[in-house]
Amino acid sequence: MNKIKGAIVNKTGLERLNKKHPWIFKGHLASSPLAEPGDLVSLHNNRGRIEGWGFWSAGSLCTRVLAFGSQKPDIQRLLAFRLEKSLAFRKRWLSKAEAFRLVHSESDGLPGLIVDIYGPIASVQLLSAGWYKHRSMVVDSLLALLPLEGVVLRNDVRYLEQEGIPREIRLLWGKLPPQNCIDISFGEIKERVYPLAGQKTGLYLDVRNLPFLFKNISSEADVLDCFCFQGHFGLHALHWGARSVTAVEQSEEALAVYRENLQMNGLSSKDVDLRHGNAFDELRRLEGEKKLYDIIIMDPPPFSPGKAQIESARRGYKELALRAYRLLRPEGVLLYLCCSHAFSRQMLIEVLRDAAVDRRQAFRIVREGYQPEDHPIALEIPETNYLKGLLVQGVEE
């Protein structure tokens, strides 16, 4: 009879542990532990030796590894140490940023934990039962690290039910600023953040640098920004002298903040056509209106969160690319973004190529963009490499 209280990994699970990958799925186990969701469990090889420790979960991703090797970690000390390291890393690479990702989950050795900083407010996602169980410890550790005024929980991610965690958005500690919003410098403009609203934890911090891919061609340009959210790309284009911006977004809430951002940055709303609706529908309307643009930004949601959705995602991405090509002026540029790890850079290139073939026009890649320094890529965890952007230009023949 097996007397080991922890989990025993099979050959594949052991290989993952040896490669320092922190995700252990149920298919990687030879036997499960006697544990409740959120418990710290040991992971053993078939000889009984402990190979790692992690938070147990009831979902298919059953263990998120916190420490490799036999020594049982002190969770509080481990958390404090890795938070200090994460902050030092951000200070080195983003020393003047008012908004940044402090903890990028697996890339910072804290799988299942995300912490974004917006000035005096920390916005936290506790994406595993283990971190949710230790949420008070997370708050206390953040307060010991930074001069915060409030800590917000943004646990509105779909799969949390598998972890046995409630989906909720609420204030965990402290208070929010007046009007429950913060105005922060983000890139070369200011943007308004509502910590209890918006997408993700308030903003899409991973696109901070991507507008700079088209900065030098923004002057006097007509710009189309699809899936614009609160206007990060369009606001920068206007700031750099764009003649007009057409912004397409399905969230009325996001477009309301877009208007606030225009006013806050002293940008004229008469130069902006805000369109509330589905991007596929609006692209068809714009084509019917004979609109043409110098710069188009296409930043769709992840159509392929996993490998099972690759082919349907390919069709959706291609349709968007083809419709964007039809709306470009000769030698116009398209910035096409993809935020799915499962949909690779090569797949994105193939989508843009296939759409160009259908369009019967030549395009070439001019620049590329990736996730910024506060969303680092861990080489041993391919899933952390998710954001890619290609800037392509039409070739006039």
Side-chain angles (χ1 to χ4, degrees), residues 53-332:
W53 297 80
F55 285 139
W56 178 251
S57 168
S60 59
L61 174 50
C62 61
T63 311
R64 291 173 172 85
V65 182
L66 291 175
F68 297 92
S70 61
Q71 185 173 351
K72 183 178 181 180
D74 180 304
I75 297 174
Q76 187 167 9
R77 291 180 62 185
L78 178 146
L79 176 62
F81 175 77
R82 292 186 181 169
L83 284 176
E84 289 174 2
K85 288 293 185 182
S86 296
L87 181 59
F89 180 85
R90 274 67 180 180
K91 284 183 174 180
R92 182 178 189 185
W93 294 105
L94 295 167
S95 60
K96 297 181 180 179
E98 294 181 16
F100 59 93
R101 175 153 292 184
L102 173 63
V103 177
H104 190 46
S105 198
E106 291 81 7
S107 291
D108 288 298
L110 296 168
L113 177 62
I114 290 174
V115 182
D116 288 340
I117 302 298
Y118 299 104
I121 303 297
S123 190
V124 176
Q125 288 184 315
L126 307 170
L127 304 178
S128 76
W131 289 123
Y132 190 79
K133 179 178 179 180
H134 292 93
R135 57 192 179 274
S136 294
M137 181 191 297
V138 172
V139 171
D140 291 343
S141 298
L142 289 171
L143 297 179
L145 188 72
L146 292 165
L148 298 171
E149 295 177 5
V151 180
V152 168
L153 176 63
R154 289 298 306 260
N155 264 27
D156 50 345
V157 179
R158 186 178 305 169
Y159 68 82
L160 289 180
E161 288 87 349
Q162 301 174 26
E163 293 283 332
I165 303 173
R167 292 177 65 178
E168 55 185 337
I169 300 176
R170 62 186 175 92
L171 186 66
L172 280 178
W173 175 87
K175 62 181 182 179
L176 293 176
Q179 288 77 53
N180 293 333
C181 66
I182 312 157
D183 296 338
I184 55 102
S185 296
F186 194 44
E188 290 191 3
I189 60 169
K190 282 192 169 291
E191 295 191 33
R192 183 156 292 168
V193 183
Y194 289 88
L196 295 178
Q199 300 293 321
K200 294 257 183 129
T201 63
L203 285 182
Y204 289 96
L205 294 175
D206 52 4
V207 300
R208 67 166 68 245
N209 298 329
L210 296 179
F212 292 89
L213 292 174
F214 57 77
K215 178 179 180 179
N216 63 318
I217 59 169
S218 293
S219 181
E220 297 301 315
D222 293 310
V223 179
L224 171 60
D225 185 6
C226 290
F227 308 95
C228 68
F229 190 45
Q230 296 173 181
H232 184 66
F233 291 96
L235 291 165
H236 274 91
L238 290 168
H239 174 69
W240 294 326
R243 179 169 44 235
S244 71
V245 170
T246 301
V248 178
E249 172 57 47
Q250 200 157 10
S251 166
E252 290 186 8
E253 180 184 72
L255 289 177
V257 181
Y258 199 132
R259 295 184 183 95
E260 295 174 16
N261 285 338
L262 284 167
Q263 184 176 8
M264 179 169 51
N265 286 281
L267 299 170
S268 175
S269 60
K270 69 179 179 62
D271 300 324
V272 183
D273 178 11
L274 296 179
R275 296 194 172 212
H276 173 238
N278 177 278
F280 290 91
D281 296 336
E282 290 300 322
L283 286 167
R284 283 190 285 269
R285 290 192 185 97
L286 290 168
E287 189 176 346
E289 295 169 15
K290 308 296 184 183
K291 298 285 189 179
L292 291 174
Y293 299 92
D294 303 292
I295 301 171
I296 297 179
I297 300 101
M298 197 65 65
D299 186 14
F303 292 158
S304 55
K307 293 181 179 179
Q309 298 84 22
I310 290 293
E311 290 310 311
S312 62
R314 192 187 298 271
R315 291 190 294 271
Y317 286 139
K318 181 183 174 182
E319 181 179 347
L320 289 175
L322 181 56
R323 293 194 176 279
Y325 286 159
R326 291 170 179 165
L327 293 167
L328 276 178
R329 289 197 173 105
E331 298 191 350

